[in-house]
Amino acid sequence: MHFPISGADISPIYLVVVGFLIGVMGGFFGVGGSFIAGPALRAAGLDWNFAVGTDLAHIVGKSVVAAKRHRALGNVDLRLGLIMALGTIGGAEVGAQLIEFLKHSGNVNSVVSIVSIAIYVSISTFMIWESWKTLRLQRRKAAGMKVPGARSSREDESSFQVVTQSIQKFRLAPMISLPASGVKSISIWIIVLVSFIGGLFSGFLGGGAGYIRMPMLVYVVGIPTHLAVGTDLFEIIISASYGTFSHAIKGNVDIMIALVMNTGAAIGAQIGAIATQYFAGPKIRLAFVPLPLVGAAIVIYTMTTGHKL
Amino acid sequence: MAVTEQPRKGRAEASHTFRALLVELPIYGLLVVAYFFLVLHFLTDWLGDLHAKHTTLYSLVSIGLVIGQAVVLEWVTTLLLRLFRGRSE
């Protein structure tokens, strides 16, 4: 199928399948899936600037579906999501300007490839260490107090909790409480900083940057994994919409490709969101680990061989 | 007894959901193919023109289309899931 806006020829079946897989992952992990979608679009023949912009547009649609389902499951903290949107929009604009700068200097593809590989590998390494440590800790505790069939809040604890607690002690006004997420008091600046960093990656590498925001919500802000997944998706709708607008103005969005991908993502996102009910927090985080690595592998393959799938 | 009932119930529910999905996917596929030909085919030229001449309008229309499509598809998938899950139970 020919897409005249980007000038690319891509099979619609390929786009629907990629959309479906990203939809399942997005609904389950609360991520936009750009670590797969960006490289998959790049591998299909799109330049990085189009891959980044188009991926953002696709993520808006997919996140609407997944966030709606998570809201029904009680996994969305609207207050936190709305505050985060402010920081994300600022960060997304800075990221989009960086892309624009690199596009004009002619090295957008190589710089974004190298940065994305470094980020994806770092996130996976950290999460595998933390989840494995937490699960080991839980197994030790469970040996002493076993409750068959019960799923306590203890299952969502993190071995990084000490650091999270010290971050929450940072008391720069205004302080707010997040009752829906179980956070009694936290500086609004921590939330803004977390969302700004997420937005920066979103504008620079594409997607909703859930691959960095979801872990930060758990480890820095200290909210349960299920809520981090749902709230992240809700926030992604706002930030990715802004990112899409910003990239579309710069000519980086092929909306036809995004619409085709979304037909697969709509059903995948629902399946992924429903599946979160059957898994505890650390297991969701551990299962998340291979995803950024797959993204990194695709980027390395495209960089080293120059071959487009 | 209760301990063995629980996993059995879970397996039955998972089996129902899986069967519902197997029925739903081809129907959803047909709807999507029809959508490709009826909607996307006619939008291509218009959107290409907008992208080339009116970037701001193109940006707004893009967001509107992607959200609109998501809402409609969510409605269709929820309806199909409910329909087939209901029938399989």
Side-chain angles (χ1 to χ4, degrees), chain A residues 4-5 16 57 60-61 65 68 241 245 248-249 251 253-256 259-260 262-263 266-267 270-271 274 278, chain B residues 13 21 24-25 28 32 36 40 44 47-48 51 55 58-60 62-63 65-67 69-70 73-74 77-78 85:
Chain A
I5 295 170
V16 172
V60 173
V65 177
K68 208 160 171 266
S241 294
F245 183 77
I249 290 230
V253 175
D254 189 329
I255 195 63
M256 295 301 293
L259 290 172
V260 174
N262 265 338
T263 54
I267 193 158
Q270 299 232 30
I271 294 168
I274 293 166
Y278 303 102
Chain B
E13 196 184 314
L21 272 174
E24 190 201 341
L25 281 173
Y28 185 77
V32 165
F36 276 155
L40 296 182
T44 307
L47 284 172
H51 178 260
T55 3
Y58 171 77
S59 310
L60 292 170
S62 295
I63 294 171
L65 275 174
V66 92
I67 292 177
Q69 181 185 275
L73 288 180
E74 198 271 342
T77 51
T78 305
R85 214 184 258 202

Side-chain angles (χ1 to χ4, degrees), chain A residues 145-231:
Chain A
M145 40 180 166
K146 210 161 188 175
V147 188
R151 195 174 135 176
S152 66
S153 60
R154 187 173 281 281
E155 284 183 9
D156 201 17
E157 65 190 354
S158 158
S159 56
F160 204 65
Q161 226 154 18
V162 183
V163 182
T164 307
Q165 280 162 358
S166 18
I167 290 167
Q168 287 182 354
K169 279 179 193 157
F170 177 74
R171 307 195 71 78
L172 180 64
M175 304 294 288
I176 58 154
S177 68
L178 302 167
S181 300
V183 176
K184 282 180 188 163
S185 176
I186 190 166
S187 170
I188 204 166
W189 298 109
I190 292 174
I191 298 171
V192 171
L193 182 66
V194 163
S195 53
F196 182 85
I197 294 170
L200 184 68
F201 281 96
S202 168
F204 188 67
L205 294 182
Y211 48 81
I212 195 154
R213 202 183 300 107
M214 194 280 267
M216 280 171 87
L217 278 171
V218 175
Y219 301 124
V220 180
V221 182
I223 74 170
T225 309
H226 290 82
L227 265 150
V229 170
T231 307

Side-chain angles (χ1 to χ4, degrees), chain A residues 74-133:
Chain A
N75 292 343
V76 179
D77 186 337
L78 285 177
R79 189 178 197 188
L80 176 62
L82 288 170
I83 295 168
M84 287 187 76
L86 295 174
T88 307
I89 287 171
E93 189 51 43
V94 174
Q97 290 300 335
L98 273 172
I99 283 281
E100 199 60 11
F101 171 75
L102 291 170
K103 200 167 88 179
H104 290 304
S105 60
N107 50 4
V108 62
N109 289 337
S110 54
V111 173
V112 177
S113 294
I114 291 164
V115 172
S116 60
I117 292 166
I119 297 294
Y120 298 158
V121 172
S122 308
I123 294 168
S124 290
T125 309
F126 172 75
M127 287 188 83
I128 199 166
W129 169 79
E130 186 279 326
S131 307
W132 178 72
K133 214 174 155 190

